[in-house]
Amino acid sequence: PGFCLSLIEIVLHWNFPDGQFHAFSFLFDWCNNVHFLFIYFMGYAIMAEDDNGFAEVMKKYRWLYLFVGTVFLAIYVAITLMAEEWFKSFDRHFTPYILKCIFRGLGEWIFIIGLYSVNRHLCTKSHPIINTLRGIAMPFYLLHQQVLIILVSGTLWVPYLGSFPATIIMTTICTCIISFLVAKSPGPVKYFFGLTSQHNIIPGEKL
């Protein structure tokens, strides 16, 4: 899956860079749309294989996954920030682009698996706050990029609001509110975000 994510980035990100369509990027940013939908469906695939030994593998190597994923994402961030200086005498565009795509795809997938495995091992008791956070986790993950793009497009011309800390804080707050509303919404809306509902409106069995 990590290599598939890297391949998606390599093929699509060049033609669909972040924010290309400004406020409408959440509709036409096919790189991120395909990227996150792939992770969305792979999450179902992992759950389906839980009883076939995959859960034991994740439990055994959980800290290794988390560490490797963190290192890969750190390398991705470093290349993003320092590409022009590191590759100024070689290739400032194509080589950093390929490396960023590879480390983003691999790092994101391995980090998600590691974080999920570690939390699954550590959080063994149920709590109302944990249940609420669990309910908004998938909507938050699927919506945060779209909310970020819309907010950045609308606040770039506003002093301070368009700066890095302000946009991240506003995006986090807005995405949390929207995700909470999705988690509390009727069944048909929940199904689009991978959440269970009390009403079985769609035929089939739960994974």
Side-chain angles (χ1 to χ4, degrees), residues 123-192:
C123 301
T124 56
K125 295 182 180 180
S126 180
H127 190 277
I129 296 178
I130 298 298
N131 292 334
T132 301
L133 293 176
R134 184 184 298 149
I136 70 174
M138 182 60 79
F140 187 96
Y141 184 77
L142 292 174
L143 294 172
H144 77 276
Q145 180 81 13
Q146 287 74 16
V147 175
L148 175 62
I149 291 172
I150 293 173
L151 286 177
V152 169
S153 299
T155 59
L156 279 178
W157 57 277
V158 181
Y160 301 109
L161 287 181
S163 62
F164 169 71
T167 53
I168 294 300
I169 293 172
M170 288 191 301
T171 300
T172 302
I173 294 174
C174 291
T175 311
C176 283
I177 294 173
I178 296 173
S179 301
F180 180 79
L181 294 176
V182 168
K184 298 299 181 182
S185 63
V189 177
K190 288 184 176 182
Y191 272 108
F192 287 104

Side-chain angles (χ1 to χ4, degrees), residues 1 35-52 54-55 58 109 112-113 116 120 134-135 137-139 141-142 182 187-197 202-207:
H35 182 105
F36 292 125
L37 282 174
F38 179 81
I39 295 178
Y40 176 75
F41 287 111
M42 285 306 301
Y44 280 107
I46 289 175
M47 294 300 100
E49 294 297 318
D50 225 22
D51 296 330
N52 296 327
F54 197 77
M58 290 195 299
W109 178 254
I112 289 174
I113 292 296
Y116 169 74
R120 190 177 187 181
R134 184 184 298 149
M138 182 60 79
Y141 184 77
L142 292 174
V182 168
V189 177
K190 288 184 176 182
Y191 272 108
F192 287 104
F193 293 90
L195 303 177
T196 58
S197 174
I202 297 179
E205 297 180 0
K206 185 170 65 174
L207 293 177

